[in-house]
Amino acid sequence: MWSVSAILGLLIAGIILGILGRMLAPGKQAIPFWLTILAGIVGALIGNLVAGWTGVAETDGFDWWRHIFQVVAAVIAVILAASLYPKARTSA
């Protein structure tokens, strides 16, 4: 079961990673802020999975690799969201 602090932490990470993802993604992303946050949350979760698979999820200092994986995943999620969002709005 997820605690309130875990959900709040994931939301904050989603906001930060979503904004970073939008800043680093090429071109203009015409997506709403809620979708930016959702892309950031997806980036955080996927980045954590990749860090776990590569064995760098838990380190003695700042988890540079985990955060790099999260940012890269957030950029990819923002690009995907931006490419799919206009199509979903026009087909509805």
Side-chain angles (χ1 to χ4, degrees):
M1 192 69 189
W2 289 56
S3 67
V4 174
S5 62
I7 293 171
L8 187 60
L10 189 59
L11 182 62
I12 292 169
I15 292 169
I16 293 168
L17 288 168
I19 291 170
L20 283 173
R22 281 187 79 158
M23 288 175 22
L24 296 173
K28 181 172 173 29
Q29 299 80 35
I31 58 175
F33 192 63
W34 66 265
L35 193 52
T36 301
I37 295 170
L38 185 62
I41 290 171
V42 168
L45 295 174
I46 291 175
N48 284 342
L49 281 174
V50 172
W53 292 336
T54 57
V56 295
E58 300 293 328
T59 60
D60 288 337
F62 191 74
D63 295 330
W64 287 104
W65 283 109
R66 179 171 57 98
H67 296 307
I68 290 170
F69 290 141
Q70 289 175 334
V71 170
V72 169
V75 170
I76 293 169
V78 164
I79 291 170
L80 285 174
S83 69
L84 296 175
Y85 183 71
K87 294 176 187 174
R89 288 193 64 179
T90 57
S91 66

